[in-house]
Amino acid sequence: MHAVAWGFLLGVGLQVALQFSELARERPQFRWTLDWRHPVLKEVGIAFVPITALALLAQINIVVDRAMAATLPAGSISALAYADTILGSFYALGISLGIAVFPSLSRMAALNDLASTARTIISSMRLLIFVLAPLTFLLIPFAPHTIGLLLGRGRFDLAAIDATAQALAMYAVGLIAFAALYVLQRAYYASADNAIPLVVGLIGALAHVALNWAFMRVWAHAGIALSTSVTAI
């Protein structure tokens, strides 16, 4: 556990160091000043509040899922956590793509070039669907084989494999939606419309809790995973 923590800290430190090294090559003429009256500072503050609130809301959803899974049989929380971690390696494509297109979307929004903005978003969605649709159709039926191959060893017995595979299959239903959210959110951020993602997130969080109660009565922890997918879609 300590090795994981140190690895995370070293990774973050290297990221910062690499960025500073690249910045030094550009020889920027910057001075460290803090002007509280600068108009851009106000714009950043206005954008910071809803974006941060949405990030906190995502963490609250995770806490709610774990709290509700704690009322189910032992191993439910672990099954959801393992399944979400594995699926995250796939919808990370959406995170990477959202980061990549954000500068272009920002420039187009600044120029009020709505046609190019729409084309960029549609192209990104098509790429996500082209890559993730086959993975979705493979993950759902082959979830037990995937979990068995990746985790099936030691104390991770057949029961644990089956429980985690159920959660993974339900999470996979919303794989494309999970990835698309990151791109669509940045499209709104590029156009300085930060409120809509937060409002949608709040509505989704409320719907998620209601669907959790409904689905977990039928499918136990897999119902919580399905609720997450349905909410994202």
Side-chain angles (χ1 to χ4, degrees), residues 110-135:
L111 296 172
N112 199 28
D113 189 353
L114 299 180
S116 297
T117 302
R119 283 196 299 270
T120 301
I121 295 173
I122 291 173
S123 298
S124 300
M125 293 297 102
R126 286 176 175 173
L127 176 60
L128 288 178
I129 294 172
F130 177 76
V131 175
L132 297 181
L135 290 174

Side-chain angles (χ1 to χ4, degrees), residues 30 32 125 212:
F30 297 134
W32 293 95
M125 293 297 102
N212 274 358

Side-chain angles (χ1 to χ4, degrees), residues 67-88:
M68 299 182 78
T71 64
L72 298 173
S76 297
I77 296 177
S78 298
L80 289 171
Y82 282 124
D84 182 58
T85 300
I86 293 172
L87 195 77

Side-chain angles (χ1 to χ4, degrees), residues 182-209:
Y182 290 98
V183 177
L184 295 176
Q185 285 174 359
R186 281 165 175 77
Y188 281 106
Y189 296 155
S191 60
D193 192 349
N194 304 311
I196 289 181
L198 177 59
V199 172
V200 173
L202 287 171
I203 296 173
L206 294 175
H208 180 52
V209 174

Side-chain angles (χ1 to χ4, degrees), residues 60-62 64-65 68 171 201-215 223-232:
I60 292 173
N61 282 335
I62 295 175
V64 170
D65 284 352
M68 299 182 78
Y171 275 136
L202 287 171
I203 296 173
L206 294 175
H208 180 52
V209 174
L211 290 174
N212 274 358
W213 279 113
F215 291 166
I224 296 177
L226 179 60
S227 170
T228 304
S229 296
V230 172
T231 304

Side-chain angles (χ1 to χ4, degrees), residues 147-160:
I147 298 301
L149 178 64
L150 296 176
L151 303 174
R153 61 186 61 87
R155 298 180 64 183
F156 208 92
D157 56 16
L158 291 176

Side-chain angles (χ1 to χ4, degrees), residues 11-126:
V12 172
L14 286 174
Q15 286 182 353
V16 174
L18 287 173
Q19 294 184 54
F20 272 110
S21 64
E22 290 296 325
L23 184 62
R25 294 180 183 178
E26 300 293 332
R27 300 182 182 277
Q29 301 298 319
F30 297 134
R31 290 180 301 155
W32 293 95
T33 60
L34 185 59
D35 184 3
W36 292 103
R37 297 181 179 179
H38 198 286
V40 175
L41 188 63
K42 182 179 179 180
E43 294 178 8
V44 172
I46 294 174
F48 175 80
V49 173
I51 293 174
T52 304
L54 183 61
L56 290 174
L57 188 61
Q59 298 304 311
I60 292 173
N61 282 335
I62 295 175
V63 173
V64 170
D65 284 352
R66 291 180 177 177
M68 299 182 78
T71 64
L72 298 173
S76 297
I77 296 177
S78 298
L80 289 171
Y82 282 124
D84 182 58
T85 300
I86 293 172
L87 195 77
S89 63
F90 297 107
Y91 66 71
L93 173 64
I95 301 175
S96 303
L97 188 58
I99 294 172
V101 302
F102 184 67
S104 299
L105 291 173
S106 298
R107 286 193 296 269
M108 296 170 190
L111 296 172
N112 199 28
D113 189 353
L114 299 180
S116 297
T117 302
R119 283 196 299 270
T120 301
I121 295 173
I122 291 173
S123 298
S124 300
M125 293 297 102
R126 286 176 175 173

